[in-house]
Amino acid sequence: MKALMWKLLRKHISKSQLAGFSLANLIGLTIVILAVQFYHDVLPVFNDQDSFISKDYLVITRNITSAGAMMGNTSEFSEEAIADIEAQQWCRKVGRFISSDFSVLATFSMSGGTRGMRTQLFFESIPNEFIDVDPSTWNFSPENPTVPVIMSRDYLSLYNFGFAATQGMPKVSEGQVSSVPLTFNFAGNGRNETVQGHIVGFSNRLNTIIVPEEFMRWANGRYGNSQNKGAKPMRLIVEVNRPGDPKIQEYMDAHRYDIAGDKATLSKAYYFLTLIISIVIVVGILISLLSFFVLMLSIYLLLQKNTKKLQDLLLLGYSPAEVSKPYIKMVLYINAAVLALAIAIMLLARIYYMTMLSEMGSNGGSIVVAVVVAFAIMGSITAGNIVAIKRKIATLWTTD
């Protein structure tokens, strides 16, 4: 009986209209999930393997010119300047760099302690909230002083390919240097003391040597020059909510602030990547919505052509649910095929572009998010189709 009902109702189905809906829905859904997946796959290119610092930050300094230096212009940030930065819409929070105000002599022992290297260093600290590291390794206690250190990877490269290559010293990897015994000699304020230290990691983004803020305050108070206490910071770390926002660069230019490293360029690229992908996703969603209305128009036209047959079936005792079931099945089959094809096309396209991204250092992201988005969009469209079909059948049931 159901087969006979379907043969009766499918007479006026326009295959070209259904094909048009399917194609439009396929294009829209593919655009959306491909954009989502590409964003997740390309993100590692912008986020280097630096797990210690959030990507949404900038290190800023004052622009020092020759004329300004001769006139004695300060390179420090006043509290008013910091407050003005904090008041900007793109700013989440501001942290102050604290510099060491004492002499630091570091000794690295290598080759089982038979060879070593001694060098003058400097320390800086930033608030711990900017550091993403295991709290159990990033602490300091004056009762049992051991200093954890995060060091710039540039320093290790300078040692391996500069100093070690010319002085006959062994090259070391990050893992090896993290296990090398490290001794600091602190001198100042009439004191000369030795403290053990260890490297907890390396950073690509901070071109300095970072120690915990509690250690820096303790050490500056113990070894530092009392005349320099309360000195204003010369560098700031700023967490922003929209990396690459053009307003950030406009503000920096207007106040003659410099952004350290190539962070500004990367942030702009990241910002425009996010903007472009957002536009692509919106376009894909609009195409999917248009395809939804195309299908609804096709179904309404089909139901309108079959109004007399449908009313006769309802009068013969068929329920609205039974009468609407063939149309609902048709929608489910079409949408399921579109969903499967869209995911397949996305995976094929991903195989193509991942060959290029892998050369840029990206291993890709998970496809779970894109697949979930695909099911969510198609599920919403299907649910809307089913509700519309049931409501239309219901109106025929109540029509005399």
Side-chain angles (χ1 to χ4, degrees):
M1 186 65 68
K2 291 180 181 179
L4 292 174
M5 185 189 301
W6 174 239
K7 286 182 179 180
L8 178 67
L9 296 178
R10 73 180 183 182
K11 220 171 192 184
H12 298 289
I13 290 179
S14 173
K15 294 181 180 179
S16 60
Q17 288 178 344
L18 292 181
F21 153 76
S22 301
L23 181 60
N25 205 2
L26 177 62
I27 293 172
L29 185 62
T30 303
I31 288 174
V32 173
I33 64 175
L34 187 56
V36 170
Q37 187 59 45
F38 181 78
Y39 178 79
H40 281 83
D41 289 332
V42 80
L43 206 57
V45 176
F46 293 89
N47 298 337
D48 53 26
Q49 298 177 354
D50 189 345
S51 60
F52 301 109
I53 305 295
S54 167
K55 68 177 182 297
D56 302 335
Y57 88 96
L58 300 171
V59 175
I60 63 174
T61 57
R62 285 188 177 276
N63 189 339
I64 301 176
T65 62
S66 299
M70 294 176 64
M71 296 175 63
N73 289 352
T74 179
S75 60
E76 299 174 338
F77 288 91
S78 65
E79 289 301 318
E80 292 77 12
I82 295 174
D84 187 60
I85 295 173
E86 291 175 329
Q88 302 305 309
Q89 292 183 346
W90 41 260
C91 177
R92 287 178 180 162
K93 55 188 174 183
V94 177
R96 297 161 173 80
F97 276 81
I98 301 176
S99 301
S100 55
D101 188 28
F102 51 90
S103 173
V104 180
L105 182 64
T107 302
F108 299 81
S109 298
M110 301 181 184
S111 301
T114 59
R115 305 187 69 178
M117 183 180 69
R118 182 174 295 181
T119 182
Q120 291 283 344
L121 291 180
F122 66 94
F123 288 153
E124 286 187 298
S125 71
I126 56 177
N128 291 346
E129 59 190 299
F130 289 92
I131 302 291
D132 184 14
V133 68
D134 185 358
S136 64
T137 64
W138 194 249
N139 54 43
F140 175 80
S141 172
E143 290 76 21
N144 184 23
T146 300
V147 185
V149 172
I150 294 176
M151 185 176 292
S152 171
R153 279 195 174 92
D154 290 340
Y155 298 167
L156 182 61
S157 297
L158 286 173
Y159 167 79
N160 280 332
F161 304 109
F163 185 81
T166 59
Q167 299 298 319
M169 299 289 287
K171 293 182 175 64
V172 292
S173 65
E174 290 183 11
Q176 289 173 322
V177 78
S178 297
S179 61
V180 167
L182 184 60
T183 303
F184 296 122
N185 180 263
F186 302 139
N189 200 20
R191 292 185 171 89
N192 192 310
E193 298 175 351
T194 298
V195 175
Q196 298 300 313
H198 63 281
I199 298 175
V200 299
F202 293 86
S203 172
N204 288 328
R205 306 181 199 168
L206 291 176
N207 192 20
T208 186
I209 301 172
I210 295 293
V211 294
E213 189 176 38
E214 56 265 29
F215 162 76
M216 185 62 78
R217 296 189 183 280
W218 173 84
N220 276 343
R222 184 174 179 82
Y223 309 108
N225 188 339
S226 59
Q227 295 181 354
N228 294 332
K229 290 184 178 179
K232 298 174 183 177
M234 291 188 290
R235 293 208 295 171
L236 300 175
I237 181 168
V238 182
E239 185 177 357
V240 297
N241 50 29
R242 295 188 300 271
D245 189 336
K247 292 181 180 179
I248 298 176
Q249 191 61 51
E250 292 174 6
Y251 181 88
M252 299 299 168
D253 293 339
H255 291 78
R256 295 186 178 181
Y257 296 156
D258 287 333
I259 300 174
D262 59 352
K263 186 65 179 177
T265 303
L266 287 176
S267 294
K268 287 180 182 178
Y270 177 79
Y271 175 79
F272 285 114
L273 170 71
T274 305
L275 181 63
I276 291 171
I277 288 182
S278 299
I279 293 173
V280 171
I281 289 176
V282 170
V283 170
I285 291 175
L286 288 176
I287 294 175
S288 295
L289 288 175
L290 289 174
S291 68
F292 167 80
F293 288 113
V294 168
L295 178 63
M296 291 315 307
L297 178 62
S298 299
I299 291 175
Y300 279 159
L301 290 174
L302 180 61
L303 292 175
Q304 191 66 34
K305 292 177 181 178
N306 288 334
T307 298
K308 179 60 178 173
K309 296 176 183 177
L310 294 171
Q311 288 177 333
D312 290 343
L313 290 172
L314 293 171
L315 291 173
L316 288 173
Y318 289 97
S319 67
E322 290 176 313
V323 174
S324 61
K325 188 176 291 185
Y327 298 105
I328 292 175
K329 281 187 176 181
M330 178 182 67
V331 169
L332 288 174
Y333 290 149
I334 292 174
N335 288 350
V338 168
L339 176 62
L341 279 173
I343 294 176
I345 293 172
M346 181 269 290
L347 293 175
L348 289 173
R350 184 173 185 264
I351 292 173
Y352 173 75
Y353 70 68
M354 277 306 299
T355 57
M356 293 180 288
L357 290 182
S358 60
E359 297 177 0
M360 301 171 65
S362 173
N363 294 322
S366 173
I367 65 170
V368 173
V369 176
V371 172
V372 169
V373 169
F375 274 91
I377 292 176
M378 191 52 67
S380 300
I381 291 176
T382 304
N385 295 148
I386 292 174
V387 169
I389 291 170
K390 288 184 175 181
R391 285 182 178 179
K392 183 64 178 178
I393 298 295
T395 60
L396 296 177
W397 174 255
T398 55
T399 302
D400 292 333

